[in-house]
Amino acid sequence: MGKSWIIVGLLSLALSFTLEAQNNSKVDSLERIADTHEDPKQRVKALYDLYGIFLYQDPVIAKTYLDRGMELSQANNHLNGIILAYDKYGGLESANGDYQSALEYYQMADSLLQDIEWPREQTLIYGNFAATYKALGQYDQSLEWNEKFIEKAKEIDNQYFVAFGYQLTGDLFHDKGQNELAAMNYLKAVRIYEKSTDIARLGDAFRALGASQTSFQRYEDAQENLEKAIKIYIDLNDQLYLSQAYRDLGLNYFQQEKYAAADDFYKKALFLSQTVADTFGIAQALGNLGEIKYESLQYDSAKYYSLESLRFLEIIGNPYTIGTEYTNLGNAFLKLEAYSEALSAFEKAEALLEPLEVPGSMKFVYLGLSQVYEVDKDYDKALPLYMQYVTISDSMFTVEKVTKLEEVQLIYDVEKKDQEIALLSKDIELGDLRRQLLIVAIGGLALVAGLIIYMQFMRRKKERKIEEERNRRQQAELQKKQLEKDQLERELASQVLQLCRKNELLARVQKEVKELTPEEANNRSDFKRLNRTIQSNLQSDEDWKQFLSTFEKVHPDFLKQIRQSAQSLSPAEQRLACLFRMNLSSKEIATLLNISDQGVKKARYRLRKKLGLPSEVNLQEHLINFRMEQSSV
């Protein structure tokens, strides 16, 4: 056994020496060309080939070859060589994270390309612009350049470039949260790669498509595409990307609350990441397992996995992922009632995430901190933090609503554009057909009747297409209006929930203040001022104005009709009618109006009396169906 291992070791060593010798021989050959070839263009090409060899081995040496290539190109007015140098300088700056410098180099290359005909390099420069703007997070600019990249790739008939462009478009829409549009573009990339021999890229496209479909809850389609990616990665023995596909499939099951299946795939991903020493993959898989344990109420295990994930994330040093995992750890400590440890974890998360300006992550930090301070009855700190959480949630809801509306409109526009192109192609085909029929008609009038019948058939077919397009547009418009209505209803429910939460918290603080002994009150001169501030917030009209504004959008004409039915209703009674219309319970209404349950009963009695309802009629059901009854009169 020992001898066999020695033999294997010697063979491996001999092979490495052979490969190194071959590589050295190639470098020597290229250097001879770069130093002695009579054609300067061949010398420039050799220098750029040497740059490519050393780019990943020793970037410093690689840059010296690139500098020499640039100097030689400039000395001989070799425009193609200068453009390539700018392209490669941009790539180096991008690799070093200096994206602004990279853009400057690409702009110089693009400027020179306007003077010559070099479509392939022009396509690559467009792609570099798109990738760099994506790295900067400037998605609209990236999409604009990527459209030019795809258009140019189609002109030179490079289907690999086209597929890459579609995949980049999908990545951009995915980062913007527009996952249906992302899936549409990933699918276009899949269709191209399916016709090619590039199986690895096909696997990547299937994985990206499946991950985006998971995001908008197309779980079965997502599973099918992720399983296709997994099969490809297994056949290629690509363990790194296979581990990522396992994590994506685990997330699919996790979102469906199928925790046993999710746990299985996350553990497979963890094993593969450990096998290939992928530190980030190990940390991700451990964090994913912690999320499963948290949702399964196994908080000790959740804490363990979060701590293990942090151990690997600290090696990588990415503040966003570390901060997010500290938030998860804080939530686990909170459930375990280890409040000092929870506070420490949330404070670490705050210190890491706040400078990054990531409100989506910070809102959970604010919520966790407010819960810790609420347990300690430190309401002076709890309330502002909770209000920050509410403010961010409202802002994100609005952004999500606008993004979804934009996505629906973009999907509609894309489909409309595809249909217009199809109709235009058919019109061109019909035009060609008419000319052919005219030639045939000159040779024999006997075909006239048949031609007339054919043209009528084509006209009716076109009319049917136009009618189908009109119906499709109407359906899209109805879906858009329904989406807007659904979003308004969610916004109204969110406002009511926030009012309840605020009033509960303020009422609890007010109760604590009132229960203070005279000695305690005398020691705090600002208690009266605090009590007045709380009372003022409880009776604030601004929240109700915002509530009524949203309510009237969801239930138009309700207040107008209720006022006509009983003209003596006070503003408070009109507000009460709105809350009954939303089918809220007496307890919820009491919290919202800051009155007792008995007060709600009295208000209900006065409202019933003013509406003139007999005792056998249920007031709440009457108000829920009020609009329907009025419209049927």
Side-chain angles (χ1 to χ4, degrees):
M1 185 65 159
K3 289 182 180 180
S4 64
W5 279 109
I6 293 171
I7 292 170
V8 171
L10 290 172
L11 287 173
S12 299
L13 186 62
L15 180 60
S16 68
F17 283 140
T18 301
L19 292 173
E20 185 177 356
Q22 291 175 350
N23 194 47
N24 290 337
S25 175
K26 184 176 180 181
V27 169
D28 291 341
S29 175
L30 287 170
E31 284 184 338
R32 280 195 299 273
I33 295 172
D35 291 335
T36 62
H37 202 286
E38 61 184 16
D39 185 353
K41 293 182 180 179
Q42 291 299 319
R43 291 165 62 192
V44 169
K45 183 179 182 303
L47 288 167
Y48 288 161
D49 288 343
L50 287 164
Y51 160 84
I53 290 173
F54 284 95
L55 179 60
Y56 298 107
Q57 297 179 21
D58 192 331
V60 175
I61 294 177
K63 187 175 182 300
T64 61
Y65 287 118
L66 180 55
D67 291 338
R68 286 175 59 191
M70 179 58 142
E71 291 171 4
L72 187 58
S73 297
Q74 289 174 329
N76 291 274
N77 198 25
H78 178 29
L79 194 57
N80 288 34
I82 295 171
I83 292 170
L84 279 175
Y86 283 141
D87 186 353
K88 296 178 190 300
Y89 279 127
L92 278 176
E93 296 296 343
S94 185
N96 292 328
D98 191 348
Y99 300 116
Q100 291 298 338
S101 296
L103 287 174
E104 290 174 8
Y105 280 117
Y106 296 144
Q107 285 163 358
M108 287 188 280
D110 186 45
S111 177
L112 292 176
L113 281 165
Q114 306 309 309
D115 299 330
I116 63 172
E117 187 66 25
W118 195 2
R120 190 178 190 281
E121 181 61 21
Q122 181 70 79
T123 308
L124 289 169
I125 290 296
Y126 286 158
N128 288 338
F129 272 121
T132 307
Y133 277 116
K134 179 181 182 295
L136 285 168
Q138 299 178 25
Y139 299 131
D140 291 336
Q141 292 92 324
S142 181
L143 280 169
E144 184 179 339
W145 283 102
N146 197 43
E147 286 178 6
K148 293 182 180 180
F149 171 74
I150 294 173
E151 183 180 352
K152 202 72 178 175
K154 288 178 179 178
E155 286 180 14
I156 64 175
D157 195 25
N158 189 316
Q159 291 302 303
Y160 284 104
F161 283 3
V162 174
F164 177 82
Y166 285 140
Q167 195 155 350
L168 179 58
T169 304
D171 292 341
L172 289 164
F173 281 127
H174 179 74
D175 289 348
K176 292 178 70 175
Q178 296 174 308
N179 291 296
E180 291 190 45
L181 281 169
M184 286 174 60
N185 284 278
Y186 288 140
L187 185 58
K188 289 179 181 179
V190 164
R191 294 292 176 256
I192 294 174
Y193 288 133
E194 282 179 328
K195 298 175 184 177
S196 74
T197 57
D198 197 336
I199 304 301
R201 290 190 181 275
L202 177 60
D204 295 342
F206 273 131
R207 184 172 61 83
L209 175 59
S212 65
Q213 288 171 327
T214 296
S215 299
F216 58 93
Q217 300 176 0
R218 288 278 294 274
Y219 295 123
E220 292 184 5
D221 292 338
Q223 286 172 216
E224 181 181 346
N225 287 309
L226 288 169
E227 285 168 359
K228 288 178 181 178
I230 287 169
K231 184 179 184 305
I232 289 172
Y233 292 143
I234 290 174
D235 291 342
L236 296 174
N237 194 29
D238 191 337
Q239 296 182 330
L240 177 63
Y241 283 94
L242 178 60
S243 67
Q244 294 179 18
Y246 279 148
R247 281 198 301 276
D248 289 334
L249 191 53
L251 178 62
N252 181 288
Y253 284 116
F254 178 77
Q255 290 190 2
Q256 297 179 73
E257 298 183 4
K258 297 179 179 179
Y259 298 133
D263 186 81
D264 181 47
F265 282 106
Y266 285 151
K267 285 178 178 175
K268 288 180 179 179
L270 177 60
F271 174 76
L272 285 175
S273 296
Q274 290 169 333
T275 301
V276 298
D278 176 15
T279 305
F280 186 64
I282 294 170
Q284 279 187 308
L286 288 167
N288 294 145
L289 288 166
E291 289 173 347
I292 289 178
K293 298 303 180 184
Y294 184 87
E295 293 298 328
S296 304
L297 311 183
Q298 300 176 44
Y299 302 122
D300 276 320
S301 296
K303 179 190 73 174
Y304 165 77
Y305 281 116
S306 282
L307 287 169
E308 284 295 292
S309 177
L310 281 166
R311 188 162 63 87
F312 287 94
L313 288 173
E314 295 286 358
I315 298 171
I316 301 167
N318 184 301
Y320 175 76
T321 52
I322 296 172
T324 303
E325 196 57 50
Y326 268 122
T327 305
N328 294 337
L329 180 62
N331 286 325
F333 278 130
L334 202 57
K335 293 294 184 181
L336 292 167
E337 298 183 0
Y339 299 119
S340 60
E341 290 88 344
L343 179 61
S344 174
F346 286 129
E347 285 177 341
K348 288 177 181 177
E350 183 181 25
L352 289 163
L353 296 174
E354 197 166 40
L356 301 179
E357 298 181 358
V358 282
S361 300
M362 278 303 301
K363 74 170 187 176
F364 296 112
V365 177
Y366 291 139
L367 179 62
L369 285 169
S370 72
Q371 290 173 337
V372 172
Y373 287 127
E374 189 175 349
V375 169
D376 290 340
K377 296 184 178 181
D378 191 346
Y379 301 116
D380 286 342
K381 291 182 179 179
L383 184 57
L385 287 164
Y386 181 76
M387 294 311 294
Q388 282 184 280
Y389 162 74
V390 170
T391 301
I392 294 174
S393 296
D394 285 347
S395 174
M396 291 184 66
F397 178 78
T398 302
V399 171
E400 181 183 350
K401 177 173 65 175
V402 171
T403 300
K404 187 63 180 176
L405 286 172
E406 288 177 352
E407 185 172 21
V408 170
Q409 185 63 48
L410 279 168
I411 290 171
Y412 173 74
D413 290 342
V414 168
E415 291 178 347
K416 180 182 174 184
K417 185 177 180 181
D418 290 343
Q419 290 160 3
E420 287 174 350
I421 292 170
L423 287 171
L424 181 61
S425 299
K426 289 182 180 179
D427 285 341
I428 293 171
E429 291 172 5
L430 283 173
D432 293 341
L433 183 58
R434 290 190 185 102
R435 286 192 292 272
Q436 292 172 10
L437 290 172
L438 183 60
I439 295 170
V440 174
I442 294 172
L445 295 176
L447 296 176
V448 171
L451 289 174
I452 293 172
I453 294 171
Y454 181 81
M455 294 301 295
Q456 288 176 341
F457 167 77
M458 294 303 293
R459 189 182 71 251
R460 287 196 296 271
K461 183 178 179 181
K462 187 173 181 179
E463 288 172 350
R464 285 197 300 273
K465 289 288 184 183
I466 292 171
E467 183 63 26
E468 288 173 1
E469 172 63 12
R470 187 182 296 112
N471 291 337
R472 193 173 290 111
R473 290 184 184 182
Q474 291 174 349
Q475 185 65 28
E477 188 64 29
L478 288 173
Q479 289 176 353
K480 182 178 177 182
K481 287 180 179 179
Q482 183 61 42
L483 178 63
E484 290 173 341
K485 183 182 176 183
D486 292 345
Q487 288 168 336
L488 279 171
E489 289 177 346
R490 288 197 296 271
E491 187 175 340
L492 182 62
S494 174
Q495 288 175 355
V496 169
L497 179 62
Q498 290 165 19
L499 279 170
C500 280
R501 175 68 175 170
K502 187 191 81 170
N503 285 357
E504 285 176 352
L505 186 57
L506 288 170
R508 198 180 310 158
V509 176
Q510 189 177 46
K511 183 180 177 183
E512 295 279 344
V513 171
K514 289 180 178 179
E515 289 176 355
L516 292 173
T517 65
E519 292 79 10
E520 291 173 324
N522 288 334
N523 291 334
R524 294 286 300 275
S525 60
D526 55 341
F527 279 154
K528 290 184 178 180
R529 178 175 55 80
L530 176 60
N531 194 40
R532 285 196 300 273
T533 301
I534 293 168
Q535 191 63 31
S536 173
N537 273 275
L538 285 168
Q539 297 174 353
S540 173
D541 288 333
E542 290 302 318
D543 292 332
W544 285 109
K545 286 178 182 178
Q546 185 180 358
F547 165 81
L548 288 175
S549 174
T550 307
F551 180 90
E552 288 184 330
K553 292 176 185 176
V554 178
H555 305 290
D557 297 330
F558 174 82
L559 282 173
K560 180 180 177 181
Q561 292 176 359
I562 203 79
R563 292 187 194 110
Q564 291 174 351
S565 177
Q567 297 182 3
S568 61
L569 287 180
S570 67
E573 289 166 339
Q574 293 174 31
R575 188 183 299 167
L576 183 66
C578 292
L579 297 175
F580 281 135
R581 174 69 179 80
M582 292 181 65
N583 200 21
L584 297 180
S585 67
S586 295
K587 183 178 179 181
E588 291 169 331
I589 292 172
T591 301
L592 284 167
L593 298 180
N594 193 31
I595 60 178
S596 65
D597 291 346
Q598 191 63 33
V600 175
K601 290 180 182 179
K602 290 179 181 179
R604 182 195 293 266
Y605 173 79
R606 287 194 297 269
L607 181 59
R608 172 190 291 277
K609 187 175 180 181
K610 287 189 178 183
L611 291 173
L613 295 180
S615 58
E616 64 271 11
V617 176
N618 184 287
L619 173 63
Q620 198 144 8
E621 290 179 0
H622 173 76
L623 290 172
I624 290 171
N625 300 315
F626 185 84
R627 185 178 179 183
M628 180 182 69
E629 293 172 359
Q630 292 295 318
S631 62
S632 64
V633 174

